[in-house]
């Protein structure tokens, strides 16, 4: 069963904006911390952003600080990643994941993952 599904990816020009969504059919986001990760071609999966279940902890990778915003809509049980001023280096497949235990910046700390949505930023 697919529990997490990302959407909203696409092709945008540098400097543009895009908002990704992550639906969770099995768990209420109000009870689970969520992370966004990305994996560029030929590179390892890297941390992008994290929002704790109680909205107290919000963290971003240095590379996206000030440009990306993670948020949650409990009425829709959806998590979003608003991406502004996109750069070519942001090109990657973006994944959302439900946190289980451990450091928020480590992929191994998450136990449920979506299949990813591709974001391509052109020059």
């Amino acid at each position: 069963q697919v529990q997490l599904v990302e959407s909203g990816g696409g092709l945008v020009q540098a400097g543009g904006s895009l908002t990704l969504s992550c639906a969770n059919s099995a768990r209420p986001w109000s009870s689970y911390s969520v992370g966004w990760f990305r994996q560029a071609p030929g590179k390892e999966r890297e941390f992008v952003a994290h929002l704790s279940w109680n909205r107290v902890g919000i963290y971003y990778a240095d590379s996206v600080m000030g440009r990306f915003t993670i948020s949650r809509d409990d009425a829709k049980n959806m998590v979003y990643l608003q991406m502004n001023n996109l750069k070519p280096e942001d090109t990657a497949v973006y994944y959302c994941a439900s946190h289980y235990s451990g450091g928020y910046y480590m992929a191994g700390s998450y136990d449920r993952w979506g299949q990813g949505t591709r974001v391509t930023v052109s020059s």
Side-chain angles (χ1 to χ4, degrees):
Q1 180 182 10
V2 177
Q3 298 179 317
L4 275 62
V5 179
E6 304 93 338
S7 61
L11 174 64
V12 298
Q13 293 186 323
S17 299
L18 203 61
T19 299
L20 306 182
S21 300
C22 180
N24 190 336
S25 64
R27 300 172 171 178
W29 282 129
S30 60
S31 297
Y32 290 87
S33 299
V34 61
W36 282 98
F37 288 77
R38 67 187 182 186
Q39 187 163 21
K43 295 187 176 182
E44 297 295 316
R45 187 167 300 189
E46 66 174 345
F47 168 76
V48 175
H50 176 97
L51 175 65
S52 67
W53 66 271
N54 57 8
R55 302 183 196 260
V56 172
I58 304 175
Y59 309 98
Y60 298 96
D62 290 342
S63 59
V64 307
M65 187 75 71
R67 299 188 298 120
F68 290 13
T69 302
I70 186 170
S71 63
R72 195 179 79 217
D73 184 338
D74 290 343
K76 299 179 180 178
N77 198 35
M78 295 283 285
V79 166
Y80 305 99
L81 182 68
Q82 181 180 321
M83 306 183 293
N84 298 322
N85 190 26
L86 285 162
K87 304 175 180 180
E89 50 263 46
D90 293 319
T91 295
V93 174
Y94 284 71
Y95 301 87
C96 68
S98 180
H99 185 258
Y100 174 68
S101 181
Y104 64 85
Y105 54 90
M106 300 188 295
S109 299
Y110 300 76
D111 64 346
R112 297 289 186 272
W113 294 79
Q115 297 185 101
T117 184
R118 186 177 298 278
V119 172
T120 302
V121 184
S122 64
S123 300

